Amino acid sequence: MILTDTHTHIYSESFEKDQDQMMQRAISAGVERFFVPAIDSGYTQSMYDIEKKYPDNVFLMMGLHPTHVKENYKEELLHVEEEIKKRLDNEGDLKFYAVGEIGIDLYWDKTFIKQQQESFRSQIQLAKKYKLPIVIHCREAFEEVFEVLESEKGEDLFGIFHCFTGTIDDAKRAIGYNMKLGIGGVVTFKNGKIDKFLNEFSLEHIVLETDAPYLAPVPYRGKRNESSYLVQVVEKLCDVYKKSPEEIASITTKNSKDIFGI
């Protein structure tokens, strides 16, 4: 059984003391592919370092996280495209598999909402330019995110709605924009709500994720999350979809391959 964690911050400072042990626990649990989102330029080297250590398992994204859109956002956006171009120009085996994570976050701070919207749109257009999927971060900003997606919709717009926590109508809209739903620890929460309607959508619309070190599933809720806990997400989806772990793993891994072009 091969599991794919489509969203995990394995380069996080939270894993500074036990990164290798964490990776081995995940691999032992059947998680063989780790798709790693960017935050800002300050983390780029850490991402390259973990990719170098696990070249057969780690697949990187490049992007500017909405909570890191600040006064210097234009410099950060320039860094995103420069890094993507650098790898393309080298014509080697290394590449980026998505532009992410990008989007809008109005939970922490609304100060830079216009800059967040501009950065989101700019990075969607960058993804289209380089024929890459996008990975969306959305927190308390569904309408704002959908407004941008509506203006950018088309066959060249596709990707993952990371850490999906919306309503059934939000799910329908996201899927309508060629997005898979990224399902992680929230599906195990009593107040998570998405488990109540998720089975109305075919598994073909679902990919698995942890968002480690954040949003650990039950029974680890409140603790540091890690990619090995993807097993708990699978167990919950087995209950939701009435399918075996092997079926969940097989279908969601295929979905991830379709998105990321593996």
Side-chain angles (χ1 to χ4, degrees):
M1 183 172 75
I2 296 174
L3 294 170
T4 301
D5 190 344
T6 62
H7 200 107
T8 179
H9 299 270
I10 51 178
Y11 55 85
S12 166
E13 296 93 340
S14 299
F15 301 118
E16 189 174 2
K17 294 182 179 178
D18 66 341
Q19 187 183 70
D20 290 329
Q21 295 93 319
M22 175 273 295
M23 290 292 291
Q24 290 308 319
R25 284 193 294 271
I27 292 168
S28 296
V31 184
E32 294 191 13
R33 295 183 183 88
F34 305 77
F35 286 86
V36 178
I39 295 177
D40 65 17
S41 60
Y43 289 92
T44 302
Q45 189 57 51
S46 298
M47 292 171 60
Y48 290 160
D49 291 344
I50 190 75
E51 177 191 48
K52 188 174 181 180
K53 286 172 76 173
Y54 296 93
D56 296 328
N57 307 97
V58 171
F59 306 89
L60 301 184
M61 309 177 203
M62 179 50 61
L64 175 61
H65 193 292
T67 62
H68 286 243
V69 173
K70 304 296 182 185
E71 291 87 351
N72 68 335
Y73 76 101
K74 289 188 177 179
E75 294 170 31
E76 287 289 335
L77 291 175
L78 185 61
H79 171 78
V80 171
E81 183 160 20
E82 283 177 345
E83 293 304 301
I84 292 173
K85 284 180 64 179
K86 191 185 300 180
R87 290 197 157 195
L88 284 174
D89 292 342
N90 287 340
E91 296 183 350
D93 294 333
L94 298 177
K95 59 177 277 191
F96 291 108
Y97 291 84
V99 175
E101 64 190 279
I102 64 175
I104 300 174
D105 187 314
L106 302 181
Y107 176 78
W108 296 107
D109 186 7
K110 295 184 174 72
T111 305
F112 294 95
I113 180 172
K114 291 190 183 303
Q115 292 88 344
Q116 284 194 40
Q117 290 169 318
E118 182 184 335
S119 296
F120 185 29
R121 189 184 306 279
S122 172
Q123 290 181 97
I124 288 175
Q125 293 168 356
L126 189 65
K128 290 178 176 181
K129 179 179 178 180
Y130 293 104
K131 297 180 172 55
L132 292 171
I134 61 171
V135 173
I136 299 172
H137 172 108
C138 174
R139 193 166 185 190
E140 295 194 1
F142 277 97
E143 287 308 314
E144 290 81 1
V145 163
F146 285 137
E147 182 181 342
V148 175
L149 292 179
E150 177 64 25
S151 67
E152 293 291 337
K153 66 182 179 182
E155 290 185 6
D156 54 352
L157 175 69
F158 66 106
I160 297 172
F161 212 108
H162 149 62
C163 190
F164 182 79
T165 56
T167 65
I168 187 170
D169 289 334
D170 292 330
K172 289 176 181 176
R173 290 182 74 180
I175 290 169
Y177 292 120
N178 296 327
M179 298 295 142
K180 304 289 188 191
L181 305 180
I183 303 300
V186 172
V187 77
T188 70
F189 298 173
K190 283 186 178 179
N191 61 348
K193 299 179 182 177
I194 59 174
D195 61 311
K196 303 296 189 293
F197 64 76
L198 205 55
N199 64 358
E200 296 193 28
F201 300 96
S202 164
L203 262 176
E204 277 67 28
H205 297 299
I206 305 296
V207 291
L208 305 179
E209 63 168 63
T210 58
D211 199 20
Y214 315 106
L215 294 171
V218 174
Y220 306 105
R221 188 174 184 183
K223 299 179 181 179
R224 185 191 73 172
N225 198 6
E226 58 180 71
S227 288
S228 63
Y229 297 166
L230 201 63
V231 171
Q232 278 67 39
V233 177
V234 171
E235 289 173 354
K236 180 64 178 182
L237 289 182
C238 288
D239 181 54
V240 169
Y241 282 98
K242 309 304 179 192
K243 292 186 180 292
S244 70
E246 289 76 16
E247 287 176 293
I248 300 289
S250 175
I251 295 170
T252 55
T253 287
K254 179 186 180 301
N255 296 342
S256 72
K257 290 181 177 180
D258 291 344
I259 287 291
F260 293 118
I262 299 294

